[in-house]
Amino acid sequence: MKKLLAGTLAAMTVLAVAGCGSPDDDAERSGTPGAVPKGSSPQKPVVPRAGQQQVPPAFDGAKGWAVMQSERLDRPTVAPHSKLVLFLKTHADGKALGVEARDAATGAVRWSSAPWKPSPRPAEFRAEDAELVVTSKDGKDYVVLAATVQEGKDAINRGKPTAHLAVYSADSSGTGVAPLHQVTVPGTDSGAIPHDTDGTVAVETRDGMTVVDAAGGTTRSSRGKSTPEFMLRVRSVTYPTLDVADVWTGRQQVPTGAVSQDGMDKGVAYGVRGGYLVARWPSKNQDYTVSGLAMNYVWAVHDERTGKPAFSVKCDGLTDALPAGGEADTLLSDNGRYLVNGDVAFDLQAKKGYCFGETESRAGVKFKGVDNSGTAYGAVTTSGSAGPVALDLATGKPTELDGNVPLPTRVTGDVALYEATPVNEKDPGAKPATHAILSVYPRR
């Protein structure tokens, strides 16, 4: 499961190297990143500026901030309600971890945690395997730092895998912030899977999963790996597609305009975000291309608690949730209103769906993100070629971007984030400070 999660993260950052430019380019465009101008207070270090870049027109490529590789910060994670970008910090000796929270607009440090040791014995955990996730409830964000500890590991014994989690409030302040709660989940080496709206994270165990409530620090166990909750929380992450009938066995959850064959639901679920499951269903007017590809699907968002369709949209032509890499990315805007998945999009508030798959008269679009205003960013795909585009979901009006404009790794609130691969992943501090691993640009 960890490899799959890591693969998903890698797929999200594939466009980012072009977005951040080379270390030399950054130094030429913005001066020496990280340098403190004369007269600046040493107590308030200046945030390194991001290199000037071509970005989508809604953002300002001349104004931005950056995180340098030498800062030993990685795994950027967004707290949507707090307008923070959070980082997992690896302390220099590799024996302790931490969290650093930056203002999304300016890059200023809002707060940082005290060094956290998942185990007093460094041999029992690996810092590079730690995770940082965010879960939210009632407009409040919680930050969860998770690491697998092989308890009892030594030169001979492999140890018993146990998940250790430290939970922080995203609205903390100051330095040396202590966890609200520390939780251990024995019998697992799986990662933490956050929920968008119920303030929990789930950890897969041998028997099922354990759900951790971030606000209270309490846990509950859900036994069985064929329960709806397990499949939605775990299988939707580890296996990008599953049948709706497997989640809600024996129930008819067929949306209007879709078909059900032989009493079995044929909907395929692609992802779960914002309290909804996204599924694709064969349409009553199902047809095929000359090459045998199925067309004309009904796409629906189902209530994750009951499985009932909340609303659906009939899409003519070719629509597919899977990008070229083969894994589905179900992406939610920070305000929880807009959701995109492959070449379909949904306005969860207005209860409308939008289709941007390929037809005889129109190219397809594969989405990479969506902002709070309903502008989605993606790549136009026709005959194997791809180009970037910004698209207003409500009007369907596209804005073609220059081919040199890289799509953001993520659009969050009022900023666009571009991630870049570290020059030396094994030792983040080994290369010059001028290499930016993240560049963040504000809206104009």
Side-chain angles (χ1 to χ4, degrees), residues 57-378:
F59 303 96
D60 193 335
K63 298 179 181 179
W65 58 276
V67 172
M68 298 299 142
Q69 184 168 338
S70 58
E71 296 182 75
R72 305 185 71 91
L73 302 172
D74 63 359
R75 319 293 171 85
T77 307
V78 174
H81 303 92
S82 308
K83 298 183 179 180
L84 297 175
V85 181
L86 301 131
F87 299 89
L88 189 156
K89 182 177 181 65
T90 302
H91 290 271
D93 58 6
K95 299 177 182 179
L97 307 172
V99 179
E100 185 165 297
R102 301 275 188 102
D103 185 287
T106 67
V109 177
R110 288 267 199 92
W111 60 270
S112 59
S113 74
W116 178 66
K117 295 182 178 181
S119 167
R121 302 180 66 242
E124 292 185 342
F125 71 95
R126 300 198 316 165
E128 57 265 36
D129 292 336
E131 291 184 306
L132 187 68
V133 298
V134 172
T135 181
S136 306
K137 184 176 183 179
D138 298 330
K140 184 175 176 62
D141 301 319
Y142 298 91
V143 186
V144 181
L145 179 53
T148 296
V149 174
Q150 301 291 339
E151 294 185 345
K153 180 181 179 180
D154 55 28
I156 299 176
N157 298 299
R158 295 189 177 94
K160 296 181 179 180
T162 301
H164 287 231
L165 294 82
V167 182
Y168 303 85
S169 173
D171 61 6
S172 299
S173 61
T175 60
V177 174
L180 289 174
H181 317 287
Q182 296 191 60
V183 179
T184 59
V185 180
T188 179
D189 60 358
S190 124
I193 303 171
H195 193 281
D196 295 305
T197 58
D198 73 1
T200 67
V201 295
V203 179
E204 183 180 1
T205 63
R206 295 190 187 97
D207 300 325
M209 70 177 183
T210 295
V211 178
V212 180
D213 178 81
T218 58
T219 63
R220 62 177 175 82
S221 296
S222 176
R223 294 189 175 275
K225 298 195 173 185
S226 61
T227 64
E229 185 179 24
F230 179 87
M231 285 189 282
L232 291 178
R233 294 291 291 267
V234 177
R235 279 194 56 191
S236 64
V237 174
T238 58
Y239 308 97
T241 60
L242 63 149
D243 290 337
V244 174
D246 290 340
V247 181
W248 292 285
T249 304
R251 298 184 184 181
Q252 293 294 320
Q253 309 294 349
V254 185
T256 302
V259 295
S260 180
Q261 301 170 353
D262 299 327
M264 292 292 293
D265 295 347
K266 296 298 182 182
V268 177
Y270 282 90
V272 182
R273 292 300 303 272
Y276 295 95
L277 174 144
V278 178
R280 188 182 72 174
W281 294 80
S283 173
K284 290 179 179 179
N285 69 333
Q286 187 85 67
D287 201 357
Y288 297 86
T289 66
V290 292
S291 57
L293 296 175
M295 302 188 300
N296 307 334
Y297 285 97
V298 172
W299 284 86
V301 288
H302 297 252
D303 187 297
E304 69 171 2
R305 297 165 299 177
T306 65
K308 293 182 178 179
F311 62 96
S312 60
V313 58
K314 180 178 174 294
C315 295
D316 294 325
L318 296 170
T319 51
D320 189 359
L322 297 180
E327 290 189 359
D329 276 333
T330 307
L331 306 171
L332 189 70
S333 62
D334 279 359
N335 59 5
R337 174 169 179 173
Y338 301 98
L339 186 153
V340 295
N341 201 131
D343 43 25
V344 294
F346 302 94
D347 183 334
L348 301 177
Q349 180 177 310
K351 297 190 181 302
K352 291 183 178 180
Y354 306 94
C355 309
F356 296 98
E358 184 177 354
T359 67
E360 291 183 357
S361 60
R362 188 184 65 193
V365 179
K366 293 293 186 184
F367 293 116
K368 298 292 184 181
V370 60
D371 66 18
N372 288 341
S373 68
T375 299
Y377 295 86

